[in-house]
Amino acid sequence: MGSSTVGLIGEVLMIGMALLFGGLMTVCSCRFLMPKKRYDYFICHPKGGTFAQARILKMILAARNKSVYLDADTPIGSSNCHDWLFNTIRADVRHLLVYLTERTLRRPWSVGEIVAAIRSGVPITLIVTSSFLLPTEEQMSDLETFMDLSEVSLSEYNVTLFDVVDAFNKIRADVFPSIKLGNESSMAKFQRLATAICDEGAQELEQRPWIHNPRLPCQIPSEKSVVPGSVVLCANWADDEAIAAAGVLTEYIKDDLRKYLNVPLVSSTADTRQDLKAIVKELNCCTQQARACVVILSQNTLQSLPQLIVIAEAVAQGELMQKSRLSLCNAEDVPRIIPM
């Protein structure tokens, strides 16, 4: 082999090593300059009336190995908390989920989060609830009043009125993909919402029962299926926030009460005159054999027949227990009813 051939091979090897080294340096630089984003999803929602719904969505997504940040989890005490939120969306979030109710676009901080995502190119998906209405032309002409900016200045965070108008126009023009919250009177609506967000498909949903109790949460348990010593969780299933609150509470207590938790979840959707006698009988039986009854009070609880039946029977059982125990033990040992 001639010296010229050896020299050529040496040059090729040197060039190859230089290219390999340059490629490694490029990869390392990219990872350093563009670090992995911390959150798969950031949930933007108005504070009033949707806290439980946003919380249960976060729980379901987290159970599917998604990292989720809820804007309500940000400590409000610090003066720069909103700066931190906007910067987090810009740098650390892969996808912004906007929970649209009648109050979302009236909340300046929610609009600021949407603007931060638009400016940074963060994908946005709108979750549309039944209460959401697009701003009218009249409201669009006076956004300062519509958003109640009297005590809030978004300009301090470099969010101008032009940015707000641009964000609203994009929402009105259906620029962003949207998902409608379902009409099911059960936790299934939030499971399906998470499936649509993750695009996992209907079959995947059926393989991921999220509620601990295998029975559908909108069913009133039959008399034969009631397990003595169960914990009865009663909510108004016509109320999305009550449904979500029931799901959150179930998730929080199920590990502590696993040996007791059967959780027959009571539905107000069965409130019909035709089934009235059956409803009363089954709910009374369920409540009488319960270890505890947890009633989630919401806006329409006093119009929900199943909830009223459970409350009345639980109070009656408490009074009977109190009378039977007063003769056997100290009054201080008798279970008490604590309003919440």
Side-chain angles (χ1 to χ4, degrees), residues 106 108 143-152:
R106 292 180 178 272
L143 287 179
E144 292 188 0
T145 302
F146 176 74
M147 293 176 55
D148 190 17
L149 295 172
S150 57
E151 298 181 2
V152 176

Side-chain angles (χ1 to χ4, degrees), residues 17-304:
M17 291 180 65
L19 291 174
L20 178 62
F21 181 75
L24 290 174
M25 288 296 293
T26 301
V27 171
C28 292
S29 299
C30 288
R31 288 187 176 181
F32 177 77
L33 295 174
M34 294 183 294
K36 181 180 178 181
K37 294 190 174 183
R38 194 184 316 175
Y39 303 110
D40 293 312
Y41 298 105
F42 183 108
I43 303 177
C44 163
H45 70 101
K47 291 296 188 289
T50 59
F51 181 81
Q53 295 172 64
R55 178 68 59 190
I56 200 67
L57 179 58
K58 176 181 177 179
M59 286 180 165
I60 297 173
L61 290 172
R64 301 180 183 208
N65 298 317
K66 304 297 183 183
S67 55
V68 185
Y69 192 86
L70 196 62
D71 60 0
D73 290 337
T74 306
I76 301 299
S78 59
S79 58
N80 62 344
C81 65
H82 296 298
D83 260 335
W84 186 90
L85 276 176
F86 297 156
N87 289 332
T88 297
I89 292 172
R90 296 183 189 108
D92 258 348
V93 172
R94 293 189 180 90
H95 204 125
L96 182 71
L97 303 176
V98 182
Y99 208 90
L100 288 177
T101 70
E102 78 281 3
R103 301 181 62 180
T104 306
L105 297 184
R106 292 180 178 272
R107 179 174 174 255
W109 304 123
S110 295
V111 177
E113 291 164 3
I114 296 171
V115 170
I118 292 173
R119 283 182 173 177
S120 306
V122 175
I124 296 174
T125 294
L126 308 177
I127 300 170
V128 183
T129 68
S130 58
S131 68
F132 175 68
L133 294 173
L134 286 168
T136 64
E137 292 294 340
E138 183 180 355
Q139 291 169 333
M140 287 290 294
S141 65
D142 189 10
L143 287 179
E144 292 188 0
T145 302
F146 176 74
M147 293 176 55
D148 190 17
L149 295 172
S150 57
E151 298 181 2
V152 176
S153 177
L154 286 176
S155 60
E156 295 180 10
Y157 303 91
N158 198 27
V159 177
T160 66
L161 193 58
F162 176 82
D163 295 322
V164 173
V165 172
D166 178 62
F168 278 34
N169 284 336
K170 283 182 167 61
I171 293 173
R172 285 159 57 91
D174 294 327
V175 170
F176 308 119
S178 63
I179 304 170
K180 287 187 177 181
L181 188 65
N183 295 321
E184 304 97 324
S185 296
S186 71
M187 276 294 302
K189 66 170 61 182
F190 297 105
Q191 294 173 328
R192 295 187 188 282
L193 174 60
T195 297
I197 291 170
C198 300
D199 194 23
E200 294 179 350
Q203 185 176 2
E204 181 74 9
L205 171 65
E206 298 302 326
Q207 297 172 355
R208 291 176 182 255
W210 189 81
I211 289 292
H212 175 65
N213 182 28
R215 186 164 47 243
L216 287 175
C218 64
Q219 289 182 332
I220 294 177
S222 66
E223 188 174 354
K224 294 181 180 180
S225 69
V226 174
V227 179
S230 298
V231 175
V232 176
L233 180 57
C234 176
N236 181 359
W237 295 97
D239 185 327
D240 289 342
E241 189 70 356
I243 294 173
V248 172
L249 181 58
T250 300
E251 183 67 9
Y252 281 151
I253 68 175
K254 72 178 184 182
D255 290 335
D256 293 332
L257 300 179
R258 188 172 294 277
K259 61 181 179 180
Y260 305 119
L261 192 60
N262 182 47
V263 193
L265 298 178
V266 179
S267 168
S268 64
T269 58
D271 185 359
T272 62
R273 291 289 179 181
Q274 184 178 358
D275 299 324
L276 182 58
K277 290 184 179 180
I279 289 172
V280 173
K281 182 179 179 181
E282 290 170 1
L283 290 180
N284 283 342
C285 176
C286 180
T287 307
Q288 289 166 8
Q289 299 189 58
R291 181 182 188 87
C293 292
V294 181
V295 180
I296 296 179
L297 301 179
S298 58
Q299 185 176 3
N300 295 314
T301 292
L302 297 183
Q303 285 78 47
S304 170

